[in-house]
Amino acid sequence: MPRLRLRVLLWTLTACVCSALPLDVPGLVYPHGDFVIRNLCKFCDLEDSTCDGADKCTSECKKTAICAAVDEVCVTIWRKNDSNVTMETLCHSPAVPLYGFMLDDYNNTECRMKEKKVLGSLFYLCSCSSEEECNNVIYFTEEKPTLSIPMVTAISLLPPLVIAVMVILAFYRYRVIRQKKLNEEWKKKKKRKHDCSDGCAIMTDDDQSDISSTVANNINHNLELLPIELDLQVGKGRFASVYKAKLKQSTAEQFETVAVKIFSYEEYASWKNEKDIFSDINLKHENILHFLTAEERKVDKQYWIITAYHALGNLQEYLTHHILSWDDLCYLGGSFARALAHLHSDHTPCGRPKVPIVHRDIKSSNILVKNDLTCCLCDFGLALRLDLSLSVDDLANSGQVGTARYMAPEVLESRINLENIESFKQSDVYSLALVLWEITSRCSAIGDVKDYVPPFGSKVGEHPCVESMKDSVVRDRGRPEIPNSWQKHEGLQLICSTITESWDHDPEARLTAQCVAERFSEIDQMDKLSQRSCSEEKISEDCSVSDDK
Ligand code: ADE
């Protein structure tokens, strides 16, 4: 065995050289300083073995050799035939086939056996490279795949990632379904008629559905002010001016039309009062101006109230330029009465408790006309919340407020009963009666319709003061004229009696706003019945004609 002898000689020689070197790893130092590591392998050539070829064995070889050539790797071959089991350990160059096989696993640091096909015997071969006799321990099992750090990270992150994606998808789906449901509900609501019989207020105005819900019925606490571009001035009151404006949407060209009521810094009290009144979520009603938000515009030293915009303007302007049909009168009058009844009420149409509010400046210019010819009440700058915490002093300090032309006799005389909060409501009802008179005076159902004149007309001047109104209303007990010619039909008669009962000199004798609203419902019922009987008459006439035939 000349090859074996040469190898052992080499191993002995190298071992001597190595022991003379200050290095404890096998290798050679070349004159130019490069250090080349060679493999240290078990090297017994062929030996009998007790290894059973299952799982893992050690070579039982006592000889270790530093491979002669730099490229040589450690190899172990395990063979089993009918008579014996052998183990062969050696160094070998992977560039050269060994027993007809290329060493394809020599880069491994462990020697893992692979079965090689040889007729008549089991033949297993493994190769490896390391400085630590890697062919001494041999494995017959597959190496468990080791996972790289990025792989481990990816695998461990996978479950939370999947859960997060599922949660996001579920949330997205929920939002989409909810939005769809809201849209459908909205469409259904829009289809419903103005019907109070179910006791729940329904918002039916198109303008109000579009308005950004993010700011609805709230104060804009954001530091960022709403992106609003003012347009035309559409109104001017004692404390503020009203502008049509564009509320810009997320995309540059899109906007919603809103109304902006601008108060100067001096009118803070009026702005605060209106904002506080609007902030009560229970005030929300289809016939009360839809509030979006209130803002302090520090740069311009202004306070803003942002609401829905109604293109038809206020009722006074509308009556000046339009003659109403009987249906228009019923719509406008009924919706206005419902607005005031809701304002005064201590519960919402759905039965939630609500603080009653009095307006104290009811007049036709404080009522807006919506596109469906129903009213919506606005301008709550003088409104008062009748909560239980209000003391008699608070009420007394609230003073004589409102517009003289529309002031009830007890307000003109400053003789309002402060002990009874109902008295404030009764004063509002007096003003309501004047507005109903204005509406009726412009309805074609009364016959000859004159030009629009405000209640008490020009008799009291354009802007009457309290004193001249006192003369007319308290001293002379004067009221706007209701000519007999107005009482053309049952419905008109009921409206006229509702007006006179609501402007009674005695506040206690006046109808409540709720009662006025119910009167309009009765009129509505009467109209429906008469329409039905008309159509029934028509059908029976038609039938009788056909019967005759
Ligand atoms: N005038 C006063 N307020 C208004 C509004 N919200 N819409 C249209 N005109 C108005």
Side-chain angles (χ1 to χ4, degrees):
M1 300 246 276
R3 196 168 147 227
L4 176 61
R5 247 180 272 126
L6 176 74
R7 294 275 175 184
V8 174
L9 184 70
L10 233 169
W11 167 71
T12 320
L13 245 170
T14 323
C16 294
V17 173
C18 284
S19 61
L21 287 168
L23 298 164
D24 59 357
V25 287
L28 288 175
V29 178
Y30 287 92
H32 49 76
D34 285 348
F35 182 72
V36 180
I37 298 170
R38 293 190 198 170
N39 288 324
L40 187 68
C41 307
K42 284 292 180 192
F43 201 133
C44 285
D45 282 340
L46 202 63
E47 278 191 329
D48 284 338
S49 169
T50 57
C51 174
D52 59 1
D55 197 18
K56 164 181 165 183
C57 299
T58 44
S59 68
E60 299 161 28
C61 167
K62 304 255 174 345
K63 294 171 199 164
T64 304
I66 294 169
C67 294
V70 174
D71 72 328
E72 282 187 332
V73 298
C74 310
V75 179
T76 300
I77 299 160
W78 179 86
R79 295 184 186 86
K80 184 179 179 184
N81 58 29
D82 293 343
S83 51
N84 66 343
V85 176
T86 59
M87 187 91 80
E88 188 180 347
T89 48
L90 67 153
C91 288
H92 188 81
S93 166
V96 183
L98 179 63
Y99 300 117
F101 296 100
M102 295 307 290
L103 303 179
D104 51 9
D105 53 356
Y106 61 90
N107 276 330
N108 292 350
T109 51
E110 290 173 343
C111 217
R112 284 202 178 267
M113 283 298 188
K114 278 192 189 149
E115 190 183 339
K116 303 288 175 189
K117 289 278 177 261
V118 173
L119 285 176
S121 67
L122 267 176
F123 176 92
Y124 279 79
L125 183 144
C126 68
S127 61
C128 53
S129 308
S130 91
E131 302 144 18
E132 289 165 3
E133 306 167 334
C134 62
N135 64 339
N136 184 38
V137 179
I138 55 172
Y139 300 88
F140 287 87
T141 50
E142 287 279 310
E143 189 183 14
K144 283 193 195 104
T146 53
L147 296 173
S148 61
I149 290 172
M151 196 76 154
V152 171
T153 317
I155 287 172
S156 54
L157 280 179
L158 203 65
L161 217 82
V162 169
I163 291 170
V165 169
M166 280 168 68
V167 168
I168 290 168
L169 283 177
F171 182 68
Y172 178 75
R173 211 174 128 70
Y174 161 77
R175 289 290 304 268
V176 169
I177 291 172
R178 191 164 163 264
Q179 191 57 49
K180 220 172 127 186
K181 220 172 130 192
L182 285 175
N183 287 347
E184 276 164 12
E185 268 172 23
W186 175 246
K187 276 183 201 151
K188 265 190 229 156
K189 277 182 184 175
K190 252 173 61 169
K191 272 191 204 143
R192 274 190 234 164
K193 288 286 279 172
H194 304 283
D195 180 9
C196 273
S197 58
D198 67 356
C200 279
I202 304 157
M203 303 288 284
T204 50
D205 194 2
D206 285 357
D207 307 312
Q208 297 181 4
S209 67
D210 298 336
I211 285 158
S212 173
S213 57
T214 52
V215 291
N217 250 59
N218 219 331
I219 306 305
N220 185 6
H221 293 294
N222 295 334
L223 293 176
E224 244 181 81
L225 299 167
L226 287 181
I228 286 180
E229 190 185 291
L230 295 179
D231 210 333
L232 299 171
Q233 182 172 336
V234 291
K236 181 147 179 59
R238 245 174 303 171
F239 309 112
S241 300
V242 181
Y243 290 81
K244 181 183 180 188
K246 289 187 178 103
L247 170 58
K248 305 233 186 75
Q249 298 299 292
S250 43
T251 50
E253 285 89 43
Q254 283 187 327
F255 63 86
E256 284 172 32
T257 304
V258 292
V260 179
K261 188 169 178 182
I262 302 182
F263 300 73
S264 66
Y265 261 22
E266 290 74 44
E267 302 303 344
Y268 170 79
S270 184
W271 171 79
K272 175 152 188 328
N273 194 59
E274 185 150 15
K275 161 184 88 86
D276 290 348
I277 295 282
F278 267 134
S279 299
D280 182 350
I281 190 80
N282 292 325
L283 180 61
K284 217 170 149 71
H285 188 273
E286 62 182 324
N287 303 116
I288 302 272
L289 180 60
H290 185 72
F291 170 67
L292 290 179
T293 194
E295 289 181 349
E296 181 185 354
R297 296 262 168 166
K298 286 198 175 115
V299 177
D300 302 311
K301 292 209 168 82
Q302 289 174 343
Y303 295 106
W304 285 17
I305 284 190
I306 301 150
T307 65
Y309 174 77
H310 296 288
L312 295 181
N314 73 44
L315 182 62
Q316 187 170 44
E317 291 157 2
Y318 192 81
L319 293 178
T320 306
H321 299 109
H322 298 85
I323 292 180
L324 310 177
S325 68
W326 168 246
D327 280 349
D328 297 342
L329 160 61
C330 294
Y331 267 149
L332 288 168
S335 56
F336 168 45
R338 287 197 294 278
L340 193 64
H342 174 68
L343 195 72
H344 286 179
S345 180
D346 60 3
H347 59 270
T348 66
C350 300
R352 270 195 312 273
K354 163 187 168 296
V355 173
I357 298 168
V358 284
H359 190 282
R360 302 198 300 171
D361 198 14
I362 293 286
K363 54 181 173 180
S364 51
S365 58
N366 280 344
I367 295 165
L368 297 169
V369 180
K370 299 206 288 185
N371 291 334
D372 59 359
L373 272 214
T374 58
C375 284
C376 100
L377 191 54
C378 66
D379 201 337
F380 296 89
L382 293 174
L384 185 69
R385 283 164 65 84
L386 301 177
D387 47 14
L388 297 174
S389 60
L390 266 179
S391 68
V392 172
D393 281 350
D394 285 336
L395 295 173
N397 289 338
S398 65
Q400 185 188 52
V401 295
T403 305
R405 187 187 293 276
Y406 289 84
M407 272 181 194
E410 67 278 11
V411 179
L412 288 166
E413 284 195 293
S414 296
R415 281 165 52 133
I416 192 158
N417 178 6
L418 301 177
E419 301 284 332
N420 180 10
I421 57 168
E422 291 302 309
S423 3
F424 288 94
K425 297 183 190 173
Q426 290 155 359
S427 304
D428 272 353
V429 168
Y430 170 89
S431 318
L432 166 139
L434 296 184
V435 174
L436 290 183
W437 176 88
E438 283 175 83
I439 299 174
T440 312
S441 73
R442 293 290 289 160
C443 174
S444 58
I446 61 168
D448 182 26
V449 180
K450 307 246 170 54
D451 281 351
Y452 169 79
V453 280
F456 304 101
S458 49
K459 272 197 307 223
V460 288
E462 206 186 340
H463 297 291
C465 62
V466 170
E467 285 312 308
S468 57
M469 285 313 299
K470 245 188 193 164
D471 288 347
S472 294
V473 174
V474 181
R475 188 193 63 202
D476 303 342
R477 303 262 169 128
R479 297 292 184 270
E481 191 196 356
I482 299 182
N484 284 338
S485 60
W486 281 22
Q487 323 247 349
K488 287 252 169 351
H489 57 69
E490 213 186 335
L492 262 173
Q493 284 157 20
L494 194 49
I495 288 186
C496 291
S497 59
T498 302
I499 294 171
T500 49
E501 285 175 70
S502 299
W503 66 29
D504 199 293
H505 193 80
D506 175 6
E508 298 277 345
R510 290 175 203 151
L511 299 177
T512 61
Q514 179 57 36
C515 191
V516 175
E518 280 164 18
R519 291 270 177 100
F520 274 96
S521 298
E522 273 173 46
I523 293 168
D524 194 36
Q525 291 304 314
M526 274 160 44
D527 283 352
K528 279 187 186 136
L529 276 177
S530 70
Q531 268 159 25
R532 203 184 305 156
S533 63
C534 273
S535 58
E536 275 166 8
E537 261 170 38
K538 194 158 187 310
I539 290 167
S540 67
E541 269 170 28
D542 293 347
C543 288
S544 59
V545 170
S546 60
D547 281 344
D548 289 346
K549 275 183 186 169

